[in-house]
Amino acid sequence: MFWNTAMETISAADLEALQIKRLKWTLHQTQNVALYRSKLKEAGVAPGDIKTLEDAAKLPFTTKKELQAGYPFGLLAVPLRQIVRIHTTSGTTGKPTVVGYTRGDLESWSELIARNLVMVGLSDEDVFQNAVNYGLFTGGLGFHYGAEKVGMTVVPSATGNTQRQIEMIEDFGVTAIHCTPSYAMHLAEVAESTGAELATLKTGIFGAEPWSESMRSELEGRLGVTAFDSYGLSEMYGPGVAFECPERDGLHIWHDSYLVEIIDPATGEVLGPGERGELVITPLVKEAMPLLRYRTGDITMLMEEDCPCGRGRKIARITGRSDDMLVIRGINVFPSQIEHVLLGLPEVGEQFMVYIDRVKHLDEMTIEVEMSRAGFSGELQDLARIQKHVAGALHNALGLRTTVKLVEPGSLPRFEGKARRIVDRRGAL
Ligand code: DLL
């Protein structure tokens, strides 16, 4: 099913012409921003020099630091009176990034979300529970307006009160739920502990943080849904940038709205399809906050083949962020690898925390993981053997020795939004 068939199945030649036209418009729009006037001057590029898509490689990158330095409104290309909404990034360190939206931006954004929801088979027949934060986080209002545009019955449940969320699913006959994968896991736990069946639920849309294929099977089994991955970032409106289709093998990124490059994060060199690197996006229709070659920090690759669904070239699932990557004794570790290993072990559950310390100049990684109910009740092996088994599996997968601490089921923190499972204490020394 298509929401906008013409745009979703546009031919390669028409797409290229549209992208060039929109790239030129975007360049023109950036000239209202002092940062971009000076960046282009410094790079020795005039907007008129950009005639083909390949020319985009002459443009300077934009970094998150530059956006933060522009706090609050330094990156806006239109006067504040044309801005009808702002959102901000969660900003764990320093000032957040402020994103402004014109009326046109809100329209373009909900159009993209509508495409995604229809792509996964949802329609005005569905009841959609939007279990994410409705504040400055883009996930709430972003999905809300996209789902309303499709004509779905939207339940703006936001986060919190998991028991009540479960009642809403059952009482309202909710067919589709949107939340972070971490929260979905918590919902599943609470539903199981209360015996709720969630019989009407059929579709799960999960995103805003990395999650693994094993987490997908786990959520599908426990919630009785087909689970789709949803990717986005506030700087590009929010959610809706890339989304899985029913093939569930890579995410469609909307090429009419986003020009995509994959670069080597160390050298900035542009990589080809099939090569994993950092996703760089130039939005093509953003009015309030146009950006050039924005370095997302997210690690993925352009896939080599077009998708059989007819919507063109996809990106692979995000495996982590270049800046979230942990370097432990010189070895690169992504939290999603740890999750993948733990989910494959029946003795432990899916909840874990990772602590990194520096002990006598050496990095030490400690992983606290909840035991599964079966493991905890002693039906499996004894504790020491389980611990050894978990540490061995992690060692094999990560190439790194870790200290594993088994803890009681239910004792680690649960997350309503994005999970924060990594506590790096090395800087505190
Ligand atoms: O997380 C927007 C969003 C809301 C996406 C709801 C999907 C669903 P930010 O808070 O700005 O925006 O965080 C963006 O989150 O650069 C990625 O590192 C990470 N991220 C988002 N979606 C995924 C995903 C929203 N599906 C940052 N897989 C991005 C992996 C993701 N990482």
Side-chain angles (χ1 to χ4, degrees):
M1 287 286 278
F2 293 93
W3 171 256
N4 181 341
T5 314
M7 210 43 108
E8 293 177 49
T9 60
I10 189 170
S11 72
D14 288 351
L15 176 63
E16 185 173 338
L18 183 67
Q19 286 184 317
I20 293 170
K21 185 172 142 210
R22 289 182 168 177
L23 177 61
K24 287 180 179 166
W25 175 85
T26 296
L27 265 166
H28 180 257
Q29 190 75 347
T30 61
Q31 293 309 288
N32 297 328
V33 181
L35 174 75
Y36 279 117
R37 284 196 300 272
S38 68
K39 275 174 81 78
L40 284 195
K41 206 178 243 173
E42 220 171 274
V45 189
D49 296 343
I50 305 300
K51 299 196 170 71
T52 66
L53 291 181
E54 288 69 46
D55 289 341
K58 297 178 189 160
L59 297 169
F61 291 117
T62 306
T63 61
K64 196 172 191 62
K65 274 213 173 80
E66 288 172 314
L67 302 194
Q68 283 168 332
Y71 180 88
F73 299 140
L75 268 290
L76 296 184
V78 300
L80 211 50
R81 103 183 98 78
Q82 289 178 30
I83 302 283
V84 293
R85 190 187 311 158
I86 57 173
H87 282 284
T88 69
T89 60
S90 32
T92 43
T93 51
K95 287 282 191 194
T97 300
V98 178
V99 186
Y101 303 74
T102 62
R103 224 172 267 290
D105 286 327
L106 292 182
E107 181 50 40
S108 308
W109 187 17
S110 44
E111 149 79 22
L112 295 183
I113 303 266
R115 285 188 205 173
N116 296 320
L117 295 174
V118 170
M119 178 167 72
V120 301
L122 300 176
S123 70
D124 56 6
E125 304 282 336
D126 283 286
V127 183
F128 180 82
Q129 185 153 325
N130 199 21
V132 291
N133 179 307
Y134 263 69
L136 289 160
F137 177 58
T138 53
L141 291 177
F143 264 92
H144 185 100
Y145 285 106
E148 274 190 0
K149 197 178 180 70
V150 174
M152 297 163 86
T153 307
V154 183
V155 182
S157 65
T159 54
N161 201 344
T162 309
Q163 188 52 51
R164 181 80 192 99
Q165 299 262 1
I166 287 166
E167 275 167 35
M168 283 188 246
I169 297 176
E170 299 214 302
D171 297 348
F172 302 151
V174 169
T175 56
I177 187 154
H178 168 233
C179 59
T180 60
S182 323
Y183 190 56
M185 195 59 97
H186 183 48
L187 262 176
E189 272 182 338
V190 176
E192 282 156 14
S193 69
T194 58
E197 287 186 5
L198 311 179
T200 50
L201 211 52
K202 64 177 169 60
T203 304
I205 291 165
F206 305 127
E209 63 185 2
W211 53 303
S212 60
E213 280 302 321
S214 2
M215 180 84 136
R216 189 205 301 268
S217 343
E218 187 88 14
L219 288 174
E220 291 193 332
R222 293 172 69 172
L223 289 171
V225 294
T226 304
F228 297 92
D229 188 13
S230 149
Y231 167 79
L233 60 162
S234 317
E235 294 84 344
M236 301 292 150
Y237 292 147
V241 175
F243 218 86
E244 281 181 333
C245 68
E247 297 280 325
R248 298 191 301 151
D249 174 26
L251 290 85
H252 285 285
I253 185 152
W254 299 108
H255 298 286
D256 61 303
S257 304
Y258 301 106
L259 186 66
V260 176
E261 296 169 279
I262 304 289
I263 62 161
D264 177 331
T267 63
E269 181 205 344
V270 177
L271 303 176
E275 293 182 289
R276 212 169 266 280
E278 180 178 347
L279 176 65
V280 169
I281 305 180
T282 303
L284 297 173
V285 295
K286 281 188 80 204
E287 296 177 344
M289 205 176 104
L291 297 167
L292 296 179
R293 305 188 84 201
Y294 182 65
R295 293 190 59 157
T296 64
D298 293 320
I299 304 295
T300 179
M301 63 179 181
L302 254 182
M303 293 178 72
E304 288 170 279
E305 305 289 338
D306 281 357
C307 181
C309 84
R311 293 182 181 81
R313 201 59 68 90
K314 293 180 287 198
I315 56 170
R317 289 185 81 179
I318 309 288
T319 43
R321 292 184 51 79
S322 52
D323 50 8
D324 261 12
M325 186 178 75
L326 302 164
V327 183
I328 313 288
R329 280 177 259 148
I331 297 174
N332 298 347
V333 179
F334 286 103
S336 55
Q337 289 174 292
I338 300 172
E339 176 194 286
H340 185 75
V341 172
L342 297 178
L343 282 173
L345 301 172
E347 303 92 329
V348 293
E350 64 288 333
Q351 300 292 341
F352 66 95
M353 289 293 294
V354 178
Y355 301 92
I356 303 155
D357 295 286
R358 187 155 287 159
V359 183
K360 292 190 190 140
H361 308 292
L362 263 191
D363 298 333
E364 295 292 344
M365 184 151 90
T366 305
I367 299 177
E368 278 184 1
V369 57
E370 284 184 8
M371 300 188 67
S372 61
R373 281 186 209 294
F376 191 63
S377 63
E379 280 165 33
L380 295 161
Q381 307 114 331
D382 59 278
L383 283 187
R385 275 185 61 188
I386 295 179
Q387 193 168 23
K388 212 171 144 199
H389 184 206
V390 175
L394 285 165
H395 190 188
N396 280 341
L398 311 178
L400 189 76
R401 268 185 214 290
T402 57
T403 303
V404 171
K405 285 191 181 156
L406 301 172
V407 300
E408 232 179 281
S411 61
L412 292 180
R414 302 301 193 257
F415 302 92
E416 290 179 352
K418 296 176 195 253
R420 299 223 157 91
R421 299 189 195 282
I422 312 293
V423 182
D424 192 340
R425 298 185 286 215
R426 288 175 292 187
L429 295 179

